[in-house]
């Protein structure tokens, strides 16, 4: 870290540096005047060093230090010495020493900062994003960026050792639907035409396989114009991987190895491999979702076959109409107030309601228990393994709704009851996804992941008439209930790709118009290939103990996809619009940053 301005950082001076002449640079964290001696904590991204201005050592430097404020940028030359007896700070790596200043240079002054540079005093979200350059000075934010850097470097090192090539794919591409809206870029030199920004490098990495580049990776920037959540941003980063002449087992072996390397190098955590696997069907049955948090149990139990023999009309009607009844049994009793709060959560999650019954002396108690004879009550208790003085929560609805509601309820109970260790990392591969999901809104089959996924060989016969039966060579990697990424063995044959598109209602003409370049490439000997993409933002957030990916991104957008710091998105002047052959067709709104204007 030695440069012409500094000999050491603010984080690496120790007792062994006693009596050394040093130069350190940084920002003023705090200033204290104790009986004429001034102490300043000088901060850089590596840590804090206490510097001492003693008039008996250098009166001029002491006088200059009297006017120093927070966040001023200083360079100090001085001598390292041990701190006095009883003055050691065990919370700091540099806490046993201090630097007695011989010379002070003010590199820059600072206005009074609008926010504290303190991990214990965190400003609100918009304020942090507006003054992001100040927020990033906080030690915890510096640590997050360093962890992100280590993840990227560990991934690169691993793939390089495995014979992969790092290849960049284009940012200006043809618009290809991938489940979200594209960000569009008008072409100045091609009037009336637009590029889109990539939601992923999917098609280009497949074409690289056709090109003979049999092992590719890239730390890729991707963009999607979609509604934002804590785990989504309009632009994000993924570790993108593709391999030729492979089967699923080869993909798992490579990616398990990458996970081990990244966790060991970035945060010093050992991950046990092989990472366990669970089929999509099993995950939905046991946990109600395809991204289960395996740090705790609390599995869902299907009691449809038992409760349909009872007299509770709600359950019977749901089952008769093709629905199911599932329950969950947290090992705890709840107050009526707590039960009502969980009922509200269930209804907000899509349920029409949530029933409950308490286990007491081997029987069930509640206002619906009377609809189940004693033998049925015992069956329910046996099936669920429920103990006395605990509650059973029931949801009855269509399978998709029932599973979704109970999955959310399970996660909330896991959090509320502290059923897991927040520092634990539990991975699982979810495999054997269906190729298609039926979209009731548009009454069509849509890909569960994407249309470039290879169906299992035994399922090819279902493509034409029974697409709902098609199982794909598709897999997701889940960590602590969060999907880190997904991948698949890809379609490499033109005839199969056309059948998949046909199953989705895509005509031959539409297929050629949207994906003609890929289908054309498949005519010239595409090898079997497969790959995966990891979300770097989500991975680093979980490593650092967060769900909000903005905590590990240098310059994220807010919930309105805006950047309060630089004011983007911003309005464009008429000349710039004319250059790209566009014009507004309505009056621009006065509200700054709103681009909901229609254009032609």
């Amino acid at each position: 870290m030695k440069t012409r301005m500094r000999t050491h950082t603010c984080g690496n001076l120790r007792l062994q540096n006693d009596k050394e002449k040093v130069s350190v640079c940084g920002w003023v964290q705090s200033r204290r005047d104790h009986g004429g001696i001034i102490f300043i904590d000088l901060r850089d991204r590596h840590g804090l060093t206490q510097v001492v201005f003693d008039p008996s050592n250098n009166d001029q430097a002491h006088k200059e230090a009297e006017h120093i404020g927070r966040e001023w940028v200083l360079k100090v030359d001085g001598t390292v010495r041990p701190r006095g007896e009883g003055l050691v700070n065990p919370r700091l790596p540099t806490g046993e020493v201090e630097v007695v200043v011989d010379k002070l240079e003010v590199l820059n002054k600072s206005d009074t900062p609008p926010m504290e540079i303190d991990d214990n005093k965190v400003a609100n979200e918009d304020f942090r994003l507006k003054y992001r350059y100040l927020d990033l000075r906080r030690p915890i934010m510096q640590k997050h960026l360093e962890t992100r850097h280590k993840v990227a470097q560990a991934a690169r090192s691993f793939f390089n050792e495995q014979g992969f090539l790092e290849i960049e794919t284009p940012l200006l591409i043809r618009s290809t639907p991938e489940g979200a809206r594209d960000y569009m870029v008008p072409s100045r030199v091609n009037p009336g035409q637009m590029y889109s920004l990539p939601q992923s490098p999917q098609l280009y990495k497949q074409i690289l396989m056709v090109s003979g580049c049999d092992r590719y990776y890239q730390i890729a920037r991707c963009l999607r114009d979609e509604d934002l959540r804590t785990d989504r941003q309009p632009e994000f980063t993924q570790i993108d991987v593709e391999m030729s002449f492979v089967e699923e087992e080869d993909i798992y072996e490579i990616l398990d190895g990458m996970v081990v390397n990244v966790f060991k190098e970035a945060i010093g955590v050992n991950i046990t491999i092989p990472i366990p696997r669970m089929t999509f069907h099993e995950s939905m049955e046991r946990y109600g979702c395809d991204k289960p948090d395996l740090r705790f149990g609390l599995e869902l139990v299907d009691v449809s076959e038992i409760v349909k023999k009872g007299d509770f009309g709600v359950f019977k009607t749901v089952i008769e109409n093709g629905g199911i009844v599932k329950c969950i049994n947290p090992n705890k009793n709840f107050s009526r107030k707590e039960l009502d709060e969980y009922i509200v959560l269930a209804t907000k999650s899509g349920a029409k309601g949530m029933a409950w019954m308490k286990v007491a002396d081997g029987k069930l108690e509640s206002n619906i228990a009377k609809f189940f004879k004693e033998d049925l009550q015992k069956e329910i208790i046996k099936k669920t393994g429920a103990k006395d003085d605990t509650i059973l929560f029931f949801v009855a609805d269509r399978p998709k709704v029932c599973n979704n509601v109970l999955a959310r309820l399970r996660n909330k109970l896991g959090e509320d009851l502290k059923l897991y260790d927040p520092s634990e990392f539990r991975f699982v591969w979810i495999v054997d996804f269906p190729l298609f999901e039926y979209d009731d809104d548009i009454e069509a089959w849509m890909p569960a992941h994407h249309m470039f996924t290879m169906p299992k060989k035994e399922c090819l016969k279902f493509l034409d008439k029974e697409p709902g039966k098609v199982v794909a060579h598709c897999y997701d990697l889940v960590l602590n209930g969060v999907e880190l990424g997904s991948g698949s063995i890809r379609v490499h044959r033109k005839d199969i790709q056309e059948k998949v598109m046909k199953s989705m209602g895509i005509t031959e003409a539409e297929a050629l118009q949207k994906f003609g370049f890929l289908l054309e490439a498949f005519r010239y000997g595409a090898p079997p290939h497969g790959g995966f993409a990891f979300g770097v933002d989500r991975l680093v957030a979980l490593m650092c103990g967060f769900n909000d990916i903005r905590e590990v991104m240098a310059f994220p957008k807010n919930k309105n996809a805006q950047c309060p710091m630089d004011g983007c998105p911003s309005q464009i002047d008429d000349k710039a619009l004319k250059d790209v052959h566009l014009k507004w067709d309505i009056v621009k709104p006065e509200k700054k940053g709103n681009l909901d204007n229609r254009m032609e």
Side-chain angles (χ1 to χ4, degrees), residues 151 154-155 239 257-267 539 543:
V151 166
I239 301 171
M258 191 213 76
V259 167
V260 167
N261 194 63
V262 165
F263 270 75
K264 181 66 175 177
E265 295 298 320
I267 58 174
L539 176 61
M543 284 178 160

Side-chain angles (χ1 to χ4, degrees), residues 119-270:
D119 290 339
N120 297 314
K121 299 176 182 178
V122 183
N124 66 52
E125 176 189 301
D126 277 341
F127 213 68
R128 291 178 62 197
L129 293 180
K130 179 175 176 60
Y131 297 100
R132 191 62 166 178
Y133 41 85
L134 297 179
D135 189 50
L136 288 176
R137 291 183 189 176
R138 294 192 297 125
I140 193 170
M141 298 303 291
Q142 294 282 327
K143 183 66 174 176
H144 294 171
L145 295 182
E146 182 180 359
T147 301
R148 187 184 181 104
H149 162 76
K150 288 180 178 179
V151 166
Q153 294 308 305
R156 280 194 169 97
S157 175
F158 175 81
F159 287 121
N160 291 343
E161 290 175 0
Q162 298 295 321
F164 284 75
L165 299 178
E166 184 174 8
I167 303 174
E168 296 173 340
T169 52
L171 288 177
L172 296 175
I173 66 171
R174 181 186 186 88
S175 180
T176 54
E178 292 196 37
R181 290 180 293 272
D182 287 334
Y183 279 102
M184 311 303 295
V185 180
S187 172
R188 179 182 59 82
V189 296
N190 299 282
Q193 296 181 315
M194 290 200 180
Y195 304 100
S196 72
L197 300 177
Q199 297 186 36
S200 80
Q202 180 64 44
L203 300 187
Y204 287 92
K205 67 180 180 179
Q206 288 192 246
I207 289 176
L208 282 171
M209 298 303 105
V210 181
S211 306
C213 302
D214 63 348
R215 289 196 164 199
Y216 142 95
Y217 82 93
Q218 177 184 189
I219 299 181
R221 297 289 287 167
C222 306
L223 301 100
R224 293 178 185 171
D225 184 6
E226 58 186 350
D227 295 334
L228 303 191
R229 304 196 302 251
T230 57
D231 63 345
R232 288 186 181 176
Q233 281 280 299
E235 49 185 320
F236 56 96
T237 304
Q238 64 186 35
I239 301 171
D240 205 55
V241 183
E242 200 77 8
M243 306 160 62
S244 293
F245 306 113
V246 292
E247 298 179 353
E248 276 191 55
E249 291 299 324
D250 300 299
I251 304 287
Y252 299 139
E253 185 177 310
I254 284 290
L255 295 177
D256 280 6
M258 191 213 76
V259 167
V260 167
N261 194 63
V262 165
F263 270 75
K264 181 66 175 177
E265 295 298 320
I267 58 174
V269 170
N270 293 315

Side-chain angles (χ1 to χ4, degrees), residues 150-398:
K150 288 180 178 179
V151 166
Q153 294 308 305
R156 280 194 169 97
S157 175
F158 175 81
F159 287 121
N160 291 343
E161 290 175 0
Q162 298 295 321
F164 284 75
L165 299 178
E166 184 174 8
I167 303 174
E168 296 173 340
T169 52
L171 288 177
L172 296 175
I173 66 171
R174 181 186 186 88
S175 180
T176 54
E178 292 196 37
R181 290 180 293 272
D182 287 334
Y183 279 102
M184 311 303 295
V185 180
S187 172
R188 179 182 59 82
V189 296
N190 299 282
Q193 296 181 315
M194 290 200 180
Y195 304 100
S196 72
L197 300 177
Q199 297 186 36
S200 80
Q202 180 64 44
L203 300 187
Y204 287 92
K205 67 180 180 179
Q206 288 192 246
I207 289 176
L208 282 171
M209 298 303 105
V210 181
S211 306
C213 302
D214 63 348
R215 289 196 164 199
Y216 142 95
Y217 82 93
Q218 177 184 189
I219 299 181
R221 297 289 287 167
C222 306
L223 301 100
R224 293 178 185 171
D225 184 6
E226 58 186 350
D227 295 334
L228 303 191
R229 304 196 302 251
T230 57
D231 63 345
R232 288 186 181 176
Q233 281 280 299
E235 49 185 320
F236 56 96
T237 304
Q238 64 186 35
I239 301 171
D240 205 55
V241 183
E242 200 77 8
M243 306 160 62
S244 293
F245 306 113
V246 292
E247 298 179 353
E248 276 191 55
E249 291 299 324
D250 300 299
I251 304 287
Y252 299 139
E253 185 177 310
I254 284 290
L255 295 177
D256 280 6
M258 191 213 76
V259 167
V260 167
N261 194 63
V262 165
F263 270 75
K264 181 66 175 177
E265 295 298 320
I267 58 174
V269 170
N270 293 315
I271 301 297
T272 301
I273 56 172
I275 293 172
R277 300 173 202 170
M278 183 183 300
T279 67
F280 169 82
H281 176 75
E282 181 185 358
S283 183
M284 295 301 294
E285 284 295 307
R286 294 171 60 186
Y287 302 102
C289 65
D290 57 7
K291 43 182 180 292
D293 189 340
L294 299 188
R295 291 175 295 176
F296 64 101
L298 203 59
E299 296 184 17
L300 282 53
V301 181
D302 191 330
V303 292
S304 303
E305 292 300 313
I306 301 174
V307 299
K308 73 178 183 180
K309 294 182 286 188
D311 298 319
F312 188 43
V314 173
F315 287 177
K316 292 173 72 72
T317 300
V318 167
I319 295 169
E320 288 168 1
N321 290 324
I324 59 173
V325 179
K326 280 188 171 183
C327 68
I328 194 169
N329 176 225
N331 190 21
K332 182 184 182 298
N333 197 358
F334 294 91
S335 68
R336 181 67 213 207
K337 179 177 180 294
E338 290 173 321
L339 287 172
D340 287 341
E341 289 173 353
Y342 287 119
I343 291 171
V344 169
L345 172 63
T347 54
K348 285 184 177 180
S349 299
K352 296 178 181 65
M354 186 189 81
W356 60 271
M357 289 191 273
K358 178 180 178 180
V359 185
D361 298 324
K363 297 180 182 180
L364 298 177
E365 297 178 351
S366 81
N367 60 351
I368 68 167
K370 62 187 177 185
F371 296 107
F372 301 95
K373 294 180 180 178
E374 189 173 330
D375 60 330
L376 291 181
Q377 292 186 18
K378 290 182 177 179
E379 276 193 66
I380 293 171
I381 294 171
K382 182 179 179 181
K383 175 87 172 180
T384 59
K387 299 178 181 178
D388 277 351
D389 206 32
T390 63
I391 302 286
L392 287 163
F393 296 167
F394 296 84
V395 173
D397 215 309
R398 290 177 292 114

